Amino acid sequence: MLVLVAPGQGAQTPGFLTPWLELPGAADRVGAWSDAIELDLAHYGTKADADEIRDTAVAQPLLVAAGLLSASALATTRAYDRSAFGAVAGHSVGEITAAAYAGVISEAEALSFVRTRGLAMAEASAVTETGMAAVLGGETDVVVAHLEKLGLAPANINGAGQIVAAGTMEQIAALTAEKPEGSMKVVALKVAGAFHTHHMTPAVATLAKAAQALTPADPELKYVSNKDGLVVATGADVVARLVGQVANPVRWDLCMETFAELGVTGIIELCPGGTLTGLAKRALKGVPSVALKTPDDLEKAAALIAEHAA
C-alpha cells in the first residue's frame, strides 16, 4: 500500500519551484492560482530569497501550490494509478494539500483556505516574537519534560527522535543553551512563529469563519490526521481538524504508526520532498520512499506506483 504525504512549513528553499514551472502548462496554472489569491507564487518560488519565503503568509500558500503542482505532474506519468494509494496525509499545512488530493476540498478551495491560514497565523505571530526549534535525539518523555520546564510546547512530535519545540525567542534561546538530557542537538527552524501552540489561538476563529465557505466531500482515500493519527471518515471532520490544528500539536509520530498499522509498503512525498521521507526512513525501516524534489524524481515515483499497481 502506497501512502502519499505532503510536507509542512520549513521544507521550502529558495528557487525550489523553478524546475516545476518548466513543465507543460505549469506556469499558466500557477499564474491563475496567483491571481486568485493575490500572491505572486511564481516569483516567491523562483526568485525570492530565504527570508522572503520564511514569511508565514508566503510560505504556506507556496507549499500547498507546490504540492498540488507536483501531484498533478505525478498523475501524468506512465503507469500512474490513483488506486495504488491507500492513504494520504500531510504535515501541518501539508494537511491542506492532502485534503485536496483526497477530494475533500477543491484545489481552488485549498489555495483560498491556505492563504487565509497564512495571513491569520502571520498576524498571530506578530503579537509576540516567537519561533520553533527541532530537538534531535533523546527519549520523548525526557525531552517533553525539559521543554515544559522551560515554558516551551512540544509543537511537533515527529517520531524518529525528533521533537519540535515552540515558544518565545527567549525560551528558544534557553533551549539552545540547555539541551535536554540525551539529545544530540537543537536546530532552529525557518519559520516565523510558535505554530501549533496557544500563540496561534487568534487564528482559529479566523479559520473557522473561512471554513464556512468550503463545501467538503468525504475523503476518497484514507485521510490520516495530525491531531491523533486517526483515519478521518468525513469531510466535515477533516475541515474541523484543519481549523483547530493551527493551535494543536502535530503528532506525526502517530501518523506514521497508523501507516504501519495500515500496512504501508511505499511512501511518495510531494514537492518540496525530503523531510517526511527522511523521518520515514528512520521510523518505518525498510519501506521504500521517493521524495519529489524536482521533476527528475517523477520517474522514480512512477516506478514505485507501477510496482504497487501490479
Side-chain angles (χ1 to χ4, degrees):
M1 183 196 74
L2 275 177
V3 176
L4 187 80
V5 297
Q9 202 164 339
Q12 73 278 8
T13 55
F16 78 97
L17 201 60
T18 300
W20 294 95
L21 291 177
E22 296 173 359
L23 297 177
D28 289 341
R29 194 173 188 190
V30 170
W33 288 341
S34 297
D35 291 342
I37 65 172
E38 298 182 346
L39 183 71
D40 191 345
L41 295 166
H43 165 76
Y44 286 111
T46 60
K47 298 178 181 177
D49 61 25
D51 286 338
E52 288 179 280
I53 60 174
R54 181 173 176 268
D55 181 349
T56 305
V58 170
Q60 294 189 10
L62 185 59
L63 286 164
V64 171
L68 295 176
L69 194 64
S70 59
S72 295
L74 185 62
T76 67
T77 58
R78 61 179 178 83
Y80 174 78
D81 187 345
R82 181 179 168 86
S83 67
F85 292 97
V88 62
H91 189 285
S92 187
V93 72
E95 284 206 293
I96 298 176
T97 311
Y101 187 82
V104 176
I105 55 177
S106 68
E107 290 183 347
E109 287 177 322
L111 267 299
S112 175
F113 189 73
V114 75
R115 178 61 165 151
T116 300
R117 184 185 193 270
L119 289 167
M121 292 177 71
E123 184 176 348
S125 297
V127 174
T128 304
E129 190 176 4
T130 57
M132 304 177 80
V135 179
L136 306 180
E139 296 294 329
T140 298
D141 292 346
V142 173
V143 173
V144 169
H146 185 77
L147 298 183
E148 291 174 347
K149 182 186 77 171
L150 297 177
L152 290 156
N156 303 165
I157 301 180
N158 287 329
Q162 184 188 107
I163 295 176
V164 175
T168 67
M169 296 310 293
E170 291 80 6
Q171 291 166 337
I172 295 292
L175 174 63
T176 302
E178 184 186 350
K179 296 192 300 293
E181 181 182 352
S183 65
M184 295 180 291
K185 60 181 177 178
V186 175
V187 181
L189 300 186
K190 297 176 286 186
V191 298
F195 307 144
H196 303 292
T197 71
H198 70 277
H199 291 284
M200 294 295 109
T201 299
V204 175
T206 301
L207 287 176
K209 183 177 180 180
Q212 294 175 6
L214 304 177
T215 54
D218 293 344
E220 298 168 0
L221 301 170
K222 289 183 174 66
Y223 181 96
V224 183
S225 171
N226 283 180
K227 182 177 181 179
D228 44 24
L230 295 181
V231 174
V232 182
T234 70
D237 194 5
V238 170
V239 170
R241 287 165 177 257
L242 290 178
V243 169
Q245 59 123 260
V246 297
N248 292 324
V250 170
R251 294 302 305 269
W252 192 251
D253 59 331
L254 299 181
C255 290
M256 290 196 291
E257 287 180 14
T258 298
F259 299 163
E261 291 168 3
L262 291 173
V264 61
T265 53
I267 295 174
I268 294 177
E269 183 179 2
L270 296 175
C271 174
T275 301
L276 301 182
T277 48
L279 291 171
K281 286 175 182 176
R282 295 191 290 276
L284 299 169
K285 295 184 184 299
V287 175
S289 62
V290 176
L292 297 180
K293 299 178 181 180
T294 75
D296 291 340
D297 298 313
L298 289 169
E299 280 302 308
K300 289 181 287 185
L304 190 58
I305 292 172
E307 290 175 15
H308 286 72

